[in-house]
Amino acid sequence: WSVSHSERGEEASDVEAVGTPHNVAVSKGPQALNDYFKTSLQNTRRWRESGSERMGPLDKLRLELDELWETGCSLSRDNKSKLPFTAGICRVMSPQLKFGSDNWTRGFAHVDELDIISSRRGLFSANIYLQQSTSGGELNLWPISVKSRWDFYRNASLLSLLVVQDAGGQALLHDVLPEPTVVRAKAGDLVLLCTQRPHSVRGPLYGQDRVSMQCFIQHEKGKPLLIES
């Protein structure tokens, strides 16, 4: 990923992905997207086989959701090719300062889907922590939501800042947003969050890398949960 700074231009993001997320493949064009789906099953199996003889964390999550959710859980598939999405990727944050203290300490407040909150549908993120940094790496979760079209239109200019990575916009968001709920996860924890609510990761990190397995979960009432990354 890259981050846009109003004065310094494009900078490297603080998160490294082991594998290509779907949204990154989309941004790179048709060939990258085609390559993503051609290798999705191979990459899912690679993660599965890289661990011990025990079931991998993403496989276990998918199995338990399939058992517990009334309509089950499955991998999302591309509408055209019918090939499956990758079941998840590894996200690594290393203990180094890549951004100035004006934005990095509080993290980049963002949403992964800008939409009205509804009990009928939603997009969720699942992070299974394999390793946590000695300090830093906490999650900021802002308990706010867009519940109507009127909310959406009335706050459109502010909400638009949640889908771009710009330091000036981040400064404004942190001034306007209420105090977040701070979550300190540890190795072995699963954190599920609604990605339509603003969230960020606090820094700087000290000690060791922050490592997690991550996937997105689509919910639509009456249909199976769908996993993708």
Side-chain angles (χ1 to χ4, degrees):
W1 288 276
S2 62
V3 176
S4 172
H5 191 284
S6 56
E7 296 179 357
R8 299 192 293 270
E10 294 291 317
E11 298 179 336
S13 170
D14 58 303
V15 181
E16 296 181 10
V18 183
T20 302
H22 177 256
N23 62 332
V24 174
V26 170
S27 70
K28 290 183 177 180
Q31 184 58 52
L33 186 60
N34 186 53
D35 292 341
Y36 169 88
F37 283 113
K38 280 187 174 180
T39 60
S40 59
L41 192 56
Q42 174 186 340
N43 289 332
T44 296
R45 289 172 175 169
R46 179 166 60 91
W47 284 119
R48 181 178 297 145
E49 294 166 1
S50 66
S52 65
E53 295 181 358
R54 295 180 300 173
M55 184 180 295
L58 289 172
D59 283 336
K60 183 179 180 182
L61 173 64
R62 181 152 51 110
L63 176 62
E64 293 195 2
L65 286 174
D66 190 44
E67 293 172 341
L68 296 171
W69 196 252
E70 60 181 7
T71 49
C73 177
S74 181
L75 282 180
S76 185
R77 290 181 177 270
D78 178 53
N79 290 330
K80 184 177 180 180
S81 67
K82 305 304 179 184
L83 291 171
F85 281 67
T86 306
I89 61 171
C90 182
R91 294 178 180 266
V92 181
M93 294 183 68
S94 299
Q96 52 190 352
L97 293 174
K98 292 185 179 180
F99 308 110
S101 59
D102 59 330
N103 50 58
W104 167 238
T105 300
R106 297 176 293 182
F108 276 91
H110 69 283
V111 295
D112 295 288
E113 183 175 78
L114 186 56
D115 202 354
I116 296 170
I117 293 287
S118 169
S119 61
R120 299 191 60 85
R121 65 168 306 278
L123 181 68
F124 297 82
S125 174
N127 270 278
I128 302 170
Y129 287 77
L130 307 182
Q131 178 176 286
Q132 181 61 285
S133 55
T134 305
S135 66
E138 297 87 359
L139 282 172
N140 285 334
L141 303 173
W142 281 273
I144 63 172
S145 61
V146 179
K147 295 183 178 180
S148 68
R149 292 192 180 276
W150 170 243
D151 280 348
F152 193 93
Y153 295 135
R154 184 178 56 180
N155 299 288
S157 59
L158 183 65
L159 292 172
S160 67
L161 300 176
L162 290 167
V163 293
V164 294
Q165 292 184 323
D166 177 77
Q170 287 296 308
L172 177 58
L173 282 169
H174 283 289
D175 286 341
V176 174
L177 291 173
E179 284 298 309
T181 298
V182 180
V183 177
R184 172 72 179 177
K186 61 182 185 297
D189 284 347
L190 163 67
V191 176
L192 282 168
L193 62 93
C194 176
T195 64
Q196 294 153 282
R197 299 185 189 275
H199 54 282
S200 71
V201 179
R202 299 169 69 96
L205 272 63
Y206 292 102
Q208 57 189 5
D209 290 346
R210 176 185 184 267
V211 184
S212 68
M213 299 297 294
Q214 189 269 343
C215 67
F216 290 106
I217 304 171
Q218 290 189 47
H219 163 247
E220 187 170 350
K221 189 173 182 179
K223 295 184 179 181
L225 298 173
L226 295 177
I227 286 180
E228 60 186 49
S229 66

